Amino acid sequence: MYEYLRRVLDRYADKFIEIYIEEGISTRIRCRGKHIEDVSKSKNFGGQVRIVDCNRSAFISFNNVREIDNYIKSAINLAGIKSSKNNCAIEREVVTYLEECKNYDEISLKYKVDKLLNYNRKINELNGVDSSVITYGDSYKTVYYLNSMGSTIIQNKNDLIASFTAVTKNGFVNIIPSVLGSNGNFSVINDAENDVLTLMNESIKKWDYTELKNGNYPIILDPILSGVFVHEIVGHLLEGDSIPQKINNKVLEIGSKITSDFITVEDRPDIPGRRGSYKFDDQGIRANGTTIIKNGVLQSYLHSNESAAKYNVKSTGNARLVNYKYKPIVRMSNFVVNDGESCFEDMVKDIEYGIYATGWRGGNTDMINFTVFPRDAYLVQNGKITKKLNNIYLSGDISIFMNVRKVGNKSVLNQGVSCSKLDQRSLPISISSPHILLSSCFVGGTYK
Amino acid sequence: MRDLDYNLFYDSKKKFDEVEVFSFSRKETSIYLKDNNIIDASENESSQLALRVINNGRLGYVTSSGHFRNCELIELAKDTAALGEKVRFSLDNNFENYQFVNIYNDDLCAMDINRMNKLANETMSNLKNLSDFLQYNCRLTTVVDNINLISNNTKKCSYVKTHFSINFEGKLISDNNSRILNYKNATCRGIEISKNFLDSIIKQKECELPYNKEKLPELCEVVLTPNCVYSIFKNIFAMSFNGKRASAGIVKREKYSNLINIFDDGISDWMINSQPFDDEGVACKKNILVHEGENQNFIFDKRTADIFNFRSSGNGKRGWGSPPAPVPNNFIITGNVVNNISDIIQSIKQGILVDYVINDGKSQPTNGIYSGYILRGYYIKDGVLTSVINGKHLKVEASDSLNKIVAIGDDSTVINGEMCTPSIYLSGVKIS
């Protein structure tokens, strides 16, 4: 197919035009209660044509690739390009990179369904569990990227994510989620049974609950929560297409100190085998990885071609799209918070009266202020975890990272996380992070 | 698509006990404005075909976008039906009892990029006349949807729906402060909401008050405007009234203040989630969900209703690649007793009026809690809006707060084309 697309594009060599096509198959399986609710398959084929002019871009998405020439003509019309020369074709590497197409699924549907039903049975057998919801999805696709400058890139992008949820009713409805993911490798499901069941058992365990007054407390974030916390509050803030002009009257300038010395953060699409891994981004830019913060100092924003042009720098290879119906925008990939030197036990011992928060239930941000809901939270008194807190939330802005006092020495890789931005939801990413101790964070909303 | 869906239907009929073919195509045209410039134009064409089958009592489901071969889809449907759930419902449909609903506008259907450009230029000119200090993002979108369904007994039904939407968020910058302005609306009727959009932005702009310096109590009297009710409660209602919760064992019949009624309405003219029938061919109607505070019904698709021996409520809708599931049509909130909104504000000694919240109020539907910052709110003192609330955190626990309704306003407004609600006055809302 790409030879055909190349021939069509060559007719428009005087303009900067990009074509993206994806072709693949996906599977969805859902169990609810003790039953299987959904077993379905989708065959997907679609594409897009993009034109970026200096001030205006045009985008067309479609399902019928045979009409590609007409779509290109329509896109030229949409962009309102009158002159034949497109003066915004940024200097870029011309690449030919062709992976062999592998948009198929090697594990049988029956094997997947049986495995998930087995999980479902075991979750429902746990003491205290009233019901369960398991949602599984995988996709195996080949994506084609071509531009009129001569680049042709073919990459396979496989993805798998499964969430396991136990529902308990010990006085109130408690929903205990556990999420796994991989770059399409089903072994993650084969291998994680003990981890999922142990986590659920831990969450169900009967604790003494206590309430907490709204206020600022020292808090330890577990690796899952700390990773998502840094991703949501720091990562999104430093995406080149949405950097706020000022936060607390300060500009987020490269070279400025934005967190305590203990924090170093990277975005690493070049680490192979993770959910956010790729060789080239969806604008055909080679992904080499970016150090975003080093020892608290801002090193780089993340960029697509458009945002890089705005800041007069080169793209960092972070332009990604969720599927052919959307344009590439600046996104994180494999987000890495580097290890520090502290061990978790020492962090707990450091706290006289504070909180240990674990897991991630959700959150929201307007890019400056945030609200985050941990899955579970515990009171720490005199260096010991004593009681459980229910439904707390954490809130603040990026300045909270100045309060990081310790960073753990043992990162955990979280592949059970997807990222949503604007109307593009559930983009595959991974986050690797250790425990983090904040000397103070606003905690609100505890009640039984 | 017409021939493709019939071909697939007849080929599949030879292989399965029951067959249903659903096809959907959409054409969407968008113009994106930023600070008085058109920066992006897009046209999205998407189509999808879904084959649902029942074989030996088990349900199978497969979808395809783009090119496909019938035999390939039929094989995939066979795989899924061998492992799918045992069901008792049928894929037959007589397409009876439909009500006519206005969801189509010729003018919107014919809207091309040139007319969209003209509208975008008019919009920019109007916004520029409002203020030189307005920074904004604004998206104008027209959508034309074609839906076709062939049921197992070879009956076919189809409709075309159009809609137009405006999504605006702006910041009015002055020497000392900046204020957030927003507007989000959609309708199947046409582009006349452009006028309403401008009126709303002018009204927001003219409400110039100093920042509040008074300390607010932790538990506060709060009036949520229709805009804010939509932001906070839309997700929560969609989860609370979803019939699937019952099958997960977490059904909880909500009990709210007897001042409130809530409906799911699939046949309100010009609202964007209205249609004559849902994606399973079941006639849409207006269902009572909450009457005088009592939860009466949930929303169901065929499969979920089948589990409880109920009938579908006309809420079976398909996502991209996913089978029908209970999805709300349009929410309509009414009060048993309504009060003039000005009288409500005048009756409050100390409280706040909240009009717009962070992240457009993405609530936590699983626990029914909204928690986030107020982006546009006003302090009420002795019945008068005296100052602007800035940087305050609002927490609303849906079930609890709707039990504490003091009054419901007479200012019912359609928000984003999918919820019609008045302002709601609550007591004891957490502010920090």
Side-chain angles (χ1 to χ4, degrees):
Chain A
M1 177 174 56
Y2 72 88
E3 292 95 341
Y4 164 68
L5 296 171
R6 168 57 53 210
R7 281 198 300 278
V8 175
L9 258 188
D10 285 347
R11 291 178 213 152
Y12 300 92
D14 61 338
K15 298 179 176 64
F16 185 67
I17 296 171
E18 297 171 288
I19 295 177
Y20 170 96
I21 305 277
E22 64 182 36
E23 180 175 27
I25 189 156
S26 58
T27 302
R28 283 167 48 103
I29 301 166
R30 189 192 291 258
C31 307
R32 189 181 296 270
K34 286 176 182 159
H35 306 282
I36 194 141
E37 180 182 281
D38 173 20
V39 181
S40 55
K41 288 248 180 200
S42 295
K43 269 186 67 64
N44 305 305
F45 183 93
Q48 58 181 247
V49 173
R50 304 192 297 257
I51 294 185
V52 182
D53 195 22
C54 273
N55 302 313
R56 184 165 166 172
S57 60
F59 172 90
I60 288 189
S61 71
F62 54 85
N63 293 115
N64 184 3
V65 75
R66 291 186 196 99
E67 295 289 322
I68 188 75
D69 197 36
N70 288 333
Y71 294 127
I72 292 174
K73 284 175 184 149
S74 299
I76 291 169
N77 180 39
L78 274 182
I81 296 173
K82 295 198 172 59
S83 65
S84 61
K85 283 278 173 196
N86 182 316
N87 49 6
C88 249
I90 304 153
E91 185 191 332
R92 64 174 78 190
E93 184 186 9
V94 176
V95 179
T96 302
Y97 175 80
L98 311 175
E99 284 181 11
E100 187 188 342
C101 294
K102 279 190 183 164
N103 52 13
Y104 53 85
D105 187 355
E106 286 171 341
I107 308 282
S108 77
L109 186 60
K110 180 164 181 354
Y111 183 85
K112 292 176 188 173
V113 169
D114 286 347
K115 193 75 199 170
L116 294 169
L117 283 173
N118 187 47
Y119 264 93
N120 198 42
R121 184 175 52 79
K122 289 190 174 167
I123 291 170
N124 278 285
E125 280 170 5
L126 291 176
N127 217 356
V129 169
D130 285 271
S131 188
S132 61
V133 181
I134 295 178
T135 304
Y136 169 91
D138 63 37
S139 71
Y140 299 85
K141 66 183 178 186
T142 302
V143 303
Y144 303 79
Y145 170 88
L146 297 95
N147 68 31
S148 54
M149 292 176 76
S151 286
T152 304
I153 298 166
I154 303 178
Q155 297 179 91
N156 292 302
K157 290 191 176 172
N158 302 335
D159 189 52
L160 181 157
I161 190 155
S163 78
F164 303 86
T165 304
V167 182
T168 69
K169 279 194 256 178
N170 49 346
F172 49 87
V173 175
N174 192 17
I175 292 168
I176 306 156
S178 170
V179 191
L180 303 172
S182 77
N183 64 337
N185 189 342
F186 196 80
S187 64
V188 68
I189 305 288
N190 288 332
D191 301 342
E193 196 172 290
N194 277 343
D195 292 349
V196 169
L197 295 174
T198 306
L199 186 146
M200 286 180 171
N201 252 331
E202 188 60 27
S203 245
I204 295 162
K205 211 160 86 180
K206 285 191 177 157
W207 285 81
D208 284 338
Y209 279 83
T210 188
E211 297 197 12
L212 194 75
K213 277 192 173 175
N214 287 357
N216 289 298
Y217 297 92
I219 186 166
I220 303 167
L221 311 175
D222 85 332
I224 301 296
L225 181 59
S226 69
V228 182
F229 206 71
V230 180
H231 166 97
E232 293 291 341
I233 300 153
V234 180
H236 280 300
L237 201 63
L238 301 175
E239 290 172 330
D241 54 357
S242 51
I243 300 163
Q245 287 173 328
K246 281 181 180 177
I247 293 185
N248 298 333
N249 290 323
K250 282 186 195 162
V251 181
L252 285 172
E253 277 177 324
I254 303 294
S256 61
K257 180 103 173 147
I258 62 167
T259 72
S260 84
D261 292 348
F262 301 103
I263 295 285
T264 294
V265 179
E266 298 172 285
D267 188 74
R268 298 291 305 278
D270 54 326
I271 299 175
R274 295 190 182 176
R275 288 187 71 223
S277 303
Y278 49 86
K279 292 256 184 342
F280 296 89
D281 77 358
D282 293 326
Q283 290 181 325
I285 302 296
R286 194 181 295 275
N288 291 322
T290 306
T291 300
I292 305 170
I293 298 169
K294 190 169 184 188
N295 300 330
V297 177
L298 179 57
Q299 306 289 316
S300 174
Y301 304 132
L302 298 177
H303 284 299
S304 62
N305 278 326
E306 288 80 7
S307 71
K310 195 171 137 191
Y311 287 87
N312 207 19
V313 293
K314 284 191 168 174
S315 167
T316 53
N318 285 85
R320 303 181 67 195
L321 50 87
V322 286
N323 66 45
Y324 68 89
K325 291 190 281 183
Y326 297 92
K327 284 194 291 194
I329 54 174
V330 183
R331 306 299 292 260
M332 285 165 267
S333 59
N334 297 313
F335 197 68
V336 178
V337 181
N338 285 4
D339 277 355
E341 293 174 350
S342 303
C343 72
F344 171 64
E345 291 74 16
D346 289 346
M347 290 183 183
V348 177
K349 278 181 198 158
D350 270 9
I351 294 182
E352 197 174 307
Y353 191 85
I355 294 159
Y356 173 45
T358 65
W360 169 262
R361 197 189 285 272
N364 58 44
T365 175
D366 65 349
M367 303 305 294
I368 296 175
N369 300 300
F370 67 84
T371 304
V372 163
F373 306 92
R375 189 192 65 233
D376 290 309
Y378 306 87
L379 189 65
V380 181
Q381 291 171 294
N382 301 318
K384 283 186 180 156
I385 296 168
T386 54
K387 290 175 179 169
K388 198 163 182 179
L389 302 160
N390 193 27
N391 274 328
I392 67 161
Y393 65 85
L394 319 178
S395 142
D397 62 39
I398 191 175
S399 64
I400 201 163
F401 287 99
M402 287 294 191
N403 300 342
V404 173
R405 287 292 166 268
K406 285 187 173 178
V407 173
N409 56 9
K410 201 174 172 186
S411 281
V412 171
L413 174 62
N414 176 10
Q415 299 236 69
V417 59
S418 300
C419 177
S420 295
K421 180 176 175 182
L422 304 175
D423 52 353
Q424 298 200 39
R425 309 186 75 77
S426 302
L427 183 78
I429 58 164
S430 75
I431 303 176
S432 162
S433 181
H435 282 92
I436 287 179
L437 169 63
L438 296 161
S439 57
S440 177
C441 173
F442 182 84
V443 179
T446 73
Y447 63 91
K448 198 167 179 177
Chain B
M1 188 64 85
R2 174 179 287 270
D3 293 337
L4 291 179
D5 57 8
Y6 268 117
N7 286 343
L8 179 63
F9 178 79
Y10 286 115
D11 284 354
S12 306
K13 278 291 257 184
K14 297 170 196 161
K15 307 280 183 185
F16 302 105
D17 298 337
E18 293 198 40
V19 172
E20 171 198 83
V21 174
F22 174 84
S23 61
F24 166 86
S25 69
R26 164 169 289 191
K27 185 169 181 191
E28 181 179 305
T29 309
S30 280
I31 299 253
Y32 181 35
L33 317 175
K34 188 174 172 66
D35 304 339
N36 297 321
N37 289 302
I38 295 177
I39 62 163
D40 183 55
S42 66
E43 277 181 2
N44 294 305
E45 284 180 18
S46 51
S47 59
Q48 189 171 67
L49 202 132
L51 171 64
R52 184 159 67 158
V53 302
I54 297 176
N55 218 28
N56 301 319
R58 290 186 182 276
L59 200 61
Y61 195 76
V62 57
T63 67
S64 174
S65 59
H67 64 83
F68 65 90
R69 285 179 299 162
N70 286 356
C71 58
E72 203 176 7
L73 287 195
I74 289 168
E75 276 309 305
L76 291 174
K78 240 187 226 173
D79 285 353
T80 58
L83 299 159
E85 186 189 15
K86 280 227 168 208
V87 293
R88 294 171 297 179
F89 67 88
S90 164
L91 300 178
D92 281 349
N93 213 324
N94 289 320
F95 298 107
E96 289 167 343
N97 305 321
Y98 293 151
Q99 287 200 34
F100 175 78
V101 53
N102 279 306
I103 51 170
Y104 176 77
N105 177 291
D106 266 333
D107 190 46
L108 271 186
C109 194
M111 194 89 164
D112 62 10
I113 193 66
N114 296 327
R115 284 189 55 210
M116 285 287 282
N117 265 327
K118 192 175 165 218
L119 183 65
N121 283 318
E122 282 167 15
T123 305
M124 284 191 298
S125 160
N126 288 330
L127 290 169
K128 194 164 175 22
N129 287 339
L130 281 184
S131 168
D132 289 334
F133 305 103
L134 180 62
Q135 295 176 351
Y136 64 87
N137 293 297
C138 179
R139 187 177 286 279
L140 310 173
T141 305
T142 57
V143 173
V144 182
D145 286 340
N146 270 280
I147 280 100
N148 294 283
L149 183 70
I150 309 172
S151 63
N152 182 56
N153 49 344
T154 332
K155 299 253 169 97
K156 178 163 181 172
C157 209
S158 56
Y159 65 85
V160 183
K161 176 153 78 171
T162 54
H163 82 253
F164 173 73
S165 63
I166 299 179
N167 202 335
F168 171 94
E169 185 167 291
K171 207 181 250 187
L172 200 57
I173 314 275
S174 66
D175 289 345
N176 303 321
N177 61 47
S178 65
R179 285 192 289 137
I180 304 274
L181 312 180
N182 87 300
Y183 183 84
K184 191 174 188 180
N185 210 348
T187 175
C188 296
R189 191 196 294 261
I191 58 169
E192 83 283 346
I193 51 170
S194 318
K195 165 85 172 62
N196 181 269
F197 159 57
L198 206 63
D199 292 345
S200 169
I201 297 300
I202 290 169
K203 201 171 151 193
Q204 290 173 38
K205 178 182 170 272
E206 285 173 352
C207 195
E208 286 184 64
L209 293 168
Y211 278 118
N212 178 55
K213 285 177 185 162
E214 296 204 31
K215 195 172 182 320
L216 295 173
E218 196 175 317
L219 292 177
C220 208
E221 307 285 291
V222 172
V223 178
L224 306 176
T225 66
N227 199 28
C228 190
V229 171
Y230 169 82
S231 290
I232 291 177
F233 292 107
K234 185 187 166 265
N235 281 357
I236 293 173
F237 286 167
M239 180 63 97
S240 300
F241 303 124
N242 187 327
K244 278 194 179 185
R245 282 168 67 89
S247 57
I250 51 175
V251 67
K252 180 183 165 198
R253 284 198 182 267
E254 304 289 353
K255 174 77 184 79
Y256 301 145
S257 153
N258 60 10
L259 288 174
I260 193 169
N261 304 312
I262 304 171
F263 303 87
D264 173 84
D265 189 349
I267 48 168
S268 253
D269 283 346
W270 308 120
M271 290 184 82
I272 62 167
N273 295 327
S274 293
Q275 56 278 308
F277 56 87
D278 69 3
D279 293 349
E280 298 181 291
V282 177
C284 289
K285 50 187 187 287
K286 187 172 181 177
N287 294 309
I288 300 171
L289 299 175
V290 171
H291 178 65
E292 296 183 355
E294 295 277 352
N295 183 187
Q296 307 277 329
N297 287 308
F298 293 91
I299 58 171
F300 291 106
D301 62 333
K302 276 187 177 179
R303 188 209 144 270
T304 314
D306 179 50
I307 296 169
F308 298 99
N309 284 326
F310 291 161
R311 299 184 76 167
S312 165
S313 56
N315 290 85
K317 295 193 182 176
R318 303 173 200 240
W320 191 256
S322 57
V327 173
N329 292 311
N330 306 293
F331 283 121
I332 311 288
I333 299 175
T334 63
N336 284 325
V337 181
V338 294
N339 298 81
N340 181 282
I341 186 65
S342 304
D343 292 347
I344 288 177
I345 292 169
Q346 277 168 25
S347 72
I348 298 172
K349 199 164 170 49
Q350 186 193 30
I352 59 173
L353 179 118
V354 186
D355 192 30
Y356 188 41
V357 287
I358 191 172
N359 228 9
D360 205 9
K362 289 197 178 72
S363 310
Q364 292 291 299
T366 48
N367 58 12
I369 294 173
Y370 172 77
S371 180
Y373 285 90
I374 298 169
L375 295 179
R376 193 171 58 250
Y378 303 96
Y379 182 60
I380 306 169
K381 188 160 190 193
D382 297 327
V384 179
L385 304 185
T386 57
S387 53
V388 172
I389 300 286
N390 190 29
K392 287 290 172 191
H393 191 276
L394 171 77
K395 181 172 179 187
V396 177
E397 204 272 300
S399 195
D400 182 53
S401 61
L402 291 179
N403 253 316
K404 295 178 182 167
I405 296 176
V406 181
I408 290 185
D410 61 353
D411 53 346
S412 273
T413 309
V414 176
I415 305 294
N416 205 29
E418 57 179 355
M419 184 190 261
C420 180
T421 177
S423 293
I424 298 180
Y425 171 18
L426 305 170
S427 69
V429 175
K430 272 194 177 178
I431 303 288
S432 55

